[in-house]
Amino acid sequence: MDAYDKGSNARPVPGEPAAAVPDSLPPEGHETTSSSEAPARIPRQSGEQQYDDQQYGHEYGEQYGDTVLAGPPLPPPTGIAALSLPYQIAAALALAVVAVAACAHVGMVFLHVAPSNTVTKQHGQAIDEWIYPEFEQNWKLFAPNPLQQNIAVQVRADVRAADGDIKTTRWYDLSALDGAAIDGNLLPSHTQQNELRRAWDFFVATHDNANRPNGLRGALSEKYLRRIVVLRLDREEAGGRGAVVQQVQVRSRTTNVPPPKWSQEQVSDKPIVRVLPWWPVSEADRAAGTRPAESTGTEASAR
């Protein structure tokens, strides 16, 4: 066998390094794969962490193999899903009740503002009981002819002073006082904006031009307006400290809002004054919202 024979018994050529002999030989009948035919490795993505196969591969696979196969852990449940079954049922029932109540309220408001129909004719009283007084709706802002007047509600009173004298106060412009409280106020109260205005609208709607009530609600509107003006006079200390209001008189002063300069509309700028008769003030009126009268009935304590 010459020097160029190949195999395990090949003779080394002088001057050339000896070929490395593998530690173990494959069994007979099996061919080894040359390095040029080794399967190509799939390159890792740029964002993946590189590990040395010899140093970390074996240990990483044994320690974290299950986690790698299963993927990242799922986040814990949140919201209603995090509750136990009884609490989930209770939360679902509460949400259902709220949804039903909201739908019922929207339906009631729709029937209240909608034109007269069969449902409102049959169930009008139930709808009104639901809407009034907290959820009343109106469309004055979007009406074809919105309100174009300034209405000032004014009041004066006969008061009994602390010394027993009876005198008549000046006219108090209650609307102007409310307007002054609203101007510059970022969050004006509902009372400052609407209480007096709505009371006057209520009175006008339930009385004719001669100030006579035209329905069962006329007396109620008078009492409501009277108690409001007595309360306002009490706040202003009409007649001086310790004075007691005996009777009041209310009037309104209505002026038209002038049209813009570019408009051809002509309106009168003359105010219209409506004066109501004198209303006596009872102890119930004073107790309803004003400073309560003392046992003597001659003076009131500051509220």
Side-chain angles (χ1 to χ4, degrees):
M1 184 178 297
D2 63 19
Y4 296 95
D5 288 342
K6 298 180 181 179
S8 59
N9 298 324
R11 298 177 181 179
V13 179
E16 293 184 4
V21 178
D23 296 337
S24 62
L25 296 177
E28 294 182 2
H30 294 273
E31 296 182 358
T32 60
T33 303
S34 63
S35 60
S36 61
E37 297 178 356
R41 299 179 63 184
I42 300 175
R44 292 186 176 93
Q45 299 296 328
S46 59
E48 296 181 356
Q49 187 176 0
Q50 303 294 330
Y51 296 96
D52 185 80
D53 295 334
Q54 295 180 357
Q55 183 176 0
Y56 299 102
H58 181 68
E59 297 179 358
Y60 187 84
E62 290 181 353
Q63 185 175 1
Y64 302 100
D66 295 339
T67 305
V68 173
L69 294 177
L74 297 176
T78 59
I80 298 180
L83 303 175
S84 61
L85 181 59
Y87 287 101
Q88 289 183 6
I89 296 175
L93 291 176
L95 292 176
V97 171
V98 172
V100 171
C103 293
H105 175 71
V106 172
M108 288 291 190
V109 173
F110 172 77
L111 293 174
H112 174 68
V113 300
S116 179
N117 52 69
T118 304
V119 177
T120 56
K121 291 179 180 178
Q122 294 180 353
H123 306 285
Q125 183 177 358
I127 295 173
D128 291 342
E129 290 177 354
W130 178 273
I131 293 298
Y132 293 106
E134 290 85 1
F135 307 115
E136 182 181 359
Q137 304 288 322
N138 62 73
W139 297 99
K140 291 183 179 179
L141 180 62
F142 307 101
N145 295 311
L147 188 63
Q148 299 178 354
Q149 295 175 327
N150 289 323
I151 302 176
V153 179
Q154 303 170 348
V155 62
R156 65 178 179 177
D158 284 345
V159 298
R160 184 171 58 215
D163 57 4
D165 292 339
I166 302 295
K167 61 180 180 180
T168 302
T169 66
R170 61 179 177 87
W171 286 101
Y172 288 87
D173 194 337
L174 304 182
S175 298
L177 293 175
D178 286 349
I182 293 172
D183 290 343
N185 188 351
L186 296 179
L187 298 173
S189 69
H190 178 79
T191 301
Q192 292 171 339
Q193 298 179 78
N194 298 318
E195 182 184 54
L196 182 63
R197 178 180 62 84
R198 296 301 303 274
W200 180 253
D201 290 344
F202 184 25
F203 177 85
V204 173
T206 55
H207 288 72
D208 57 19
N209 293 331
N211 300 321
R212 293 189 300 264
N214 53 19
L216 298 178
R217 304 178 71 189
L220 177 62
S221 65
E222 290 182 9
K223 182 183 297 184
Y224 183 49
L225 181 60
R226 182 171 63 252
R227 291 184 176 181
I228 289 177
V229 298
V230 171
L231 174 62
R232 300 296 181 87
L233 290 173
D234 181 78
R235 291 176 181 174
E236 297 298 320
E237 294 186 352
R241 183 178 296 274
V244 178
V245 177
Q246 300 297 307
Q247 58 180 359
V248 295
Q249 186 178 32
V250 181
R251 73 179 182 184
S252 67
R253 187 174 185 272
T254 304
T255 55
N256 293 319
V257 176
K261 296 180 179 180
W262 48 263
S263 175
Q264 302 296 326
E265 183 181 2
Q266 300 292 330
V267 296
S268 174
D269 57 356
K270 183 178 180 180
I272 300 175
V273 179
R274 179 174 180 174
V275 182
L276 306 186
W278 285 92
W279 289 335
V281 177
S282 63
E283 293 296 331
D285 295 330
R286 299 188 185 95
T290 63
R291 50 191 176 184
E294 295 182 352
S295 58
T296 57
T298 57
E299 62 180 18
S301 58
R303 185 182 178 186

